[in-house]
Structure formats: structure tokens, C-alpha cells
Amino acid sequence: MNVIVSNKYQNMLGTLNIDVIKTITGEFDVEELVSVFTNFYFNKMIIDLTAIKGYQNIKNIQKLSVNFDTSKIIVLLDDSAAVNSGAYLSQLVSMGIYNFTRNINAVKFLIDNPNSYKDVAQYHNLNGNEINMESVGIDTFSSTTASGGLRIIGFKNVTAHAGATTLVYMLKKHLEVAYNVVAIEVDSEDFKYLNDKSLQSTISQDLSFNIANHPEAEVILLDLNDSMQEKLCNDVVYLIEPGLIKLNKLIRKDREAFEKLKDKKIILNKSILTSKDISDFEHEADSKVFYNIPYVDDKKEHIQVLDDFLVALGFSRINGSNSNKTKLFNIFK
């Protein structure tokens, strides 16, 4: 029989089809859990991490490893950046807590198929660098990305089928010549149609965890789809296919669509607009276009306009020309 300690994910854990002998809900000090479960026999203790007071400070989780048999603990992580940082996950492994997940469906699997060290070794920091335990309690993941060591760029379609999935795929091919790059789609499985096994798919609730699983990456490209995980990105670009029907559908659906895009990076994709057209578009939409990408052949190995776009985004190792807009639109003459 199992016990469940829940808080934020109480309803989610309630859907598990497992034998439960005791459930407690709320926020608890580890000492409170010790008093409740001392001399209490259970198979596994499933802990919603948000049920531990001060859980973002790894020292509070360390108390779990001291007072309980870690082989009996299964931790359901939350979606905060600190918890899903490489430093935090490495400390869990160091404590002997091997069974952690962001996927509720994986909890039941871990009851009967617990992880060994081999299964989580990739999260363990063995480079000899000491991790500041006090700093793990803050937004470690965000501070790492902001330092410039890792850039996470999100892509969202504003008009329907504006081409985010294919664009992410093509940009990955251009970037990987000079960068260690990972491409991930969120809440979709369209990448499978591109026949590239290096492309990855995940769900929103596992995205932070998936990002943390790539400590070697210099660039992560996210096809966000309808996910609301923009907060994990250093930058987000918003794709608009500027055809008349697509734009009219967008405005009928949401008349404030362009107001919501104020001060955001708007990319015209699959565009046939000229320089004059873009000026008219910016005036009517009261918006600024960051870049205009014409229709491109996704079967080509190299597309100069994509190199130029990446240079505009700040990827200095790309051997692109800093083309001005006039030169870009010569292809339409």
C-alpha cells in the first residue's frame, strides 16, 4: 500500500489507479511528515513536491533523504525553473532520490519499476564544481539562461499554420553548423513527419524538466504551439502569415490581437510582401515587424535568408550577411 502527500497537484494525484493506505494534503515541514509516518508501514511515498514547505531550497529536501528510505520516495516535481534546474536535479541524485518525474503517468510506472542510479546519472554533476546550496533556492535556471550560456528561443504561430514547426526545423539545421542546438516541440507530435530523430517532443508540464536534461546545449529552439511556457524563453518570436484571409480570420477571432503583440518580435513568415507592403502593414496594425521571411524551399540544405534572420537574432557565429531589407526583397523583382 502507498501513501500520498499532496498539495498543488492533489487532483492530478487523485487520478492515479493505485492502492493508497493514507493521503494527507497541504504544506508540511519535513519534521511533520516524520512524525506522521514514523513506524507507519508503506510501500511507496508519493510526494507532490509543493507539499514540502520551502521545497525550492534543496536543504529542505535533504531532510527527506535523512529521515526516510529514499528508495521508497517518488517525487512529483512542479514546473518551476529552480526545481527543474540542473543543480537541483543533481542534488536529488546525490541524496539517493532517483525516482522523480514531471509526468503523472510516470508515477505509477515508478512504483513497480523504480529508477536506479544508471537511469538518472545524466542529471548528476560530477565535474567537481561545488554547487552553492543557498542559491539553488532561487530561480537558478533563469539566471543561467540570462547569462548568455544558453539561449532558449520560442516560436508561436499567431495566424493559423504560420509555419513555426517547419521554421524551427530549418533553423536547427542552420544553427547546428556552429552551435550545439536542440529543437523541442510542445504539446504536439508534428516533428515525427520531418523524419529527423534528433527532434524532440514533450508536453507543457514536462518542458522545464526536458530543458534541464540538455546541459550541453547552447541553443534550444521551442515550437511552443498553444503552450503558455514563454516564461522559460530568453526570447519569443511570433509568426504571422500575412495573407488577407489569414489576417482577417485573426482579427475576427481577436480584435485586440495586435495590441497584445505590442513590443514583441513579429516575424512575417511565408510572406510575399514588398518593402512598401510591410510599411503599410506596420501602419495599419500599429506594430513593428522584426523580420520578413519569404516562402523558402524546406528541402534545401542552405537558405541565406535564414542565416540572415539568425544573425539578426544575435547568433554571431552564423556566417550570414547582414542583408538590408532592400536586398532581401530583390527576389521579388
Side-chain angles (χ1 to χ4, degrees):
M1 302 288 278
N2 306 291
V3 300
I4 293 178
V5 181
S6 66
N7 185 35
K8 178 179 177 181
Y9 300 112
Q10 176 186 3
N11 293 337
M12 191 183 298
L13 287 168
T15 65
L16 289 174
N17 184 21
I18 60 174
D19 292 326
V20 177
I21 192 172
K22 187 177 182 66
T23 298
I24 60 174
T25 301
E27 291 185 80
F28 306 94
D29 293 318
V30 173
E31 291 79 4
E32 293 179 82
L33 297 182
V34 172
S35 66
V36 171
F37 292 106
T38 296
N39 301 322
F40 192 97
Y41 176 79
F42 57 86
N43 178 31
K44 300 292 183 185
M45 177 184 287
I46 301 159
I47 302 177
D48 170 355
L49 195 60
T50 67
I52 307 298
K53 290 182 180 177
Y55 67 93
Q56 291 186 318
N57 186 334
I58 197 68
K59 286 186 176 181
N60 292 320
I61 308 307
Q62 188 178 31
K63 297 175 186 177
L64 280 175
S65 67
V66 172
N67 289 282
F68 291 100
D69 180 351
T70 56
S71 68
K72 292 186 175 184
I73 294 175
I74 298 174
V75 177
L76 181 63
L77 303 173
D78 79 337
D79 57 1
S80 68
V83 166
N84 289 276
S85 71
Y88 197 100
L89 298 179
S90 179
Q91 288 299 312
L92 289 181
V93 176
S94 293
M95 296 171 193
I97 299 176
Y98 300 159
N99 297 303
F100 50 86
T101 181
R102 275 295 303 121
N103 189 338
I104 187 64
N105 296 319
V107 171
K108 186 175 181 180
F109 178 83
L110 288 172
I111 291 174
D112 297 318
N113 304 275
N115 286 332
S116 66
Y117 176 76
K118 181 179 179 181
D119 297 309
V120 294
Q122 69 267 30
Y123 305 114
H124 202 192
N125 176 20
L126 294 175
N127 61 14
N129 295 331
E130 184 178 354
I131 297 173
N132 186 332
M133 297 289 282
E134 296 296 333
S135 69
V136 177
I138 64 173
D139 194 350
T140 309
F141 183 80
S142 293
S143 63
T144 300
T145 58
S147 70
L150 168 65
R151 286 195 65 189
I152 302 176
I153 312 294
F155 294 78
K156 294 204 85 166
N157 289 333
V158 178
T159 57
H161 311 295
T165 301
T166 302
L167 183 60
V168 166
Y169 166 66
M170 291 190 292
L171 292 177
K172 175 182 180 292
K173 291 199 298 182
H174 281 62
L175 278 168
E176 61 192 6
V177 174
Y179 295 85
N180 191 324
V181 57
V182 174
I184 304 171
E185 65 175 346
V186 187
D187 297 333
S188 181
E189 295 185 349
D190 289 334
F191 272 173
K192 65 185 178 183
Y193 300 113
L194 294 168
N195 298 319
D196 183 339
K197 293 183 179 180
S198 69
L199 301 173
Q200 301 179 27
S201 302
T202 190
I203 56 177
S204 290
Q205 66 183 29
D206 282 350
L207 181 56
S208 294
F209 188 82
N210 200 291
I211 290 171
N213 196 25
H214 294 285
E216 78 292 344
E218 296 175 278
V219 184
I220 295 181
L221 304 177
L222 300 179
D223 179 7
L224 290 167
N225 290 294
D226 293 326
S227 170
M228 304 302 290
Q229 298 283 19
E230 292 99 326
K231 63 186 178 183
L232 296 178
C233 303
N234 301 102
D235 220 344
V236 179
V237 298
Y238 296 84
L239 302 182
I240 292 175
E241 184 180 345
L244 185 60
I245 293 177
K246 292 290 183 71
L247 290 173
N248 283 339
K249 283 186 176 180
L250 173 64
I251 296 303
R252 290 196 179 191
K253 182 179 179 181
D254 183 0
R255 295 198 65 84
E256 297 181 352
F258 285 100
E259 183 64 28
K260 294 174 181 176
L261 292 172
K262 280 283 190 183
D263 302 319
K264 299 186 184 298
K265 280 189 171 68
I266 296 176
I267 310 299
L268 303 183
N269 194 37
K270 299 190 286 186
S271 169
I272 60 170
L273 299 189
T274 65
S275 298
K276 173 65 166 59
D277 294 333
I278 292 174
S279 295
D280 292 342
F281 173 88
E282 290 179 326
H283 176 73
E284 292 186 36
D286 193 22
S287 301
K288 182 67 177 175
V289 173
F290 178 78
Y291 216 84
N292 183 77
I293 300 177
Y295 276 91
V296 295
D297 185 350
D298 58 13
K299 296 183 289 299
K300 285 187 176 180
E301 287 296 317
H302 182 263
I303 301 168
Q304 185 62 46
V305 68
L306 297 186
D307 274 356
D308 296 340
F309 171 56
L310 290 169
V311 170
L313 282 176
F315 291 101
S316 57
R317 283 186 240 159
I318 295 297
N319 186 27
S321 63
N322 288 302
S323 306
N324 59 37
K325 290 186 177 180
T326 303
K327 185 174 181 180
L328 171 63
F329 290 116
N330 281 341
I331 63 172
F332 296 117
K333 294 181 179 178

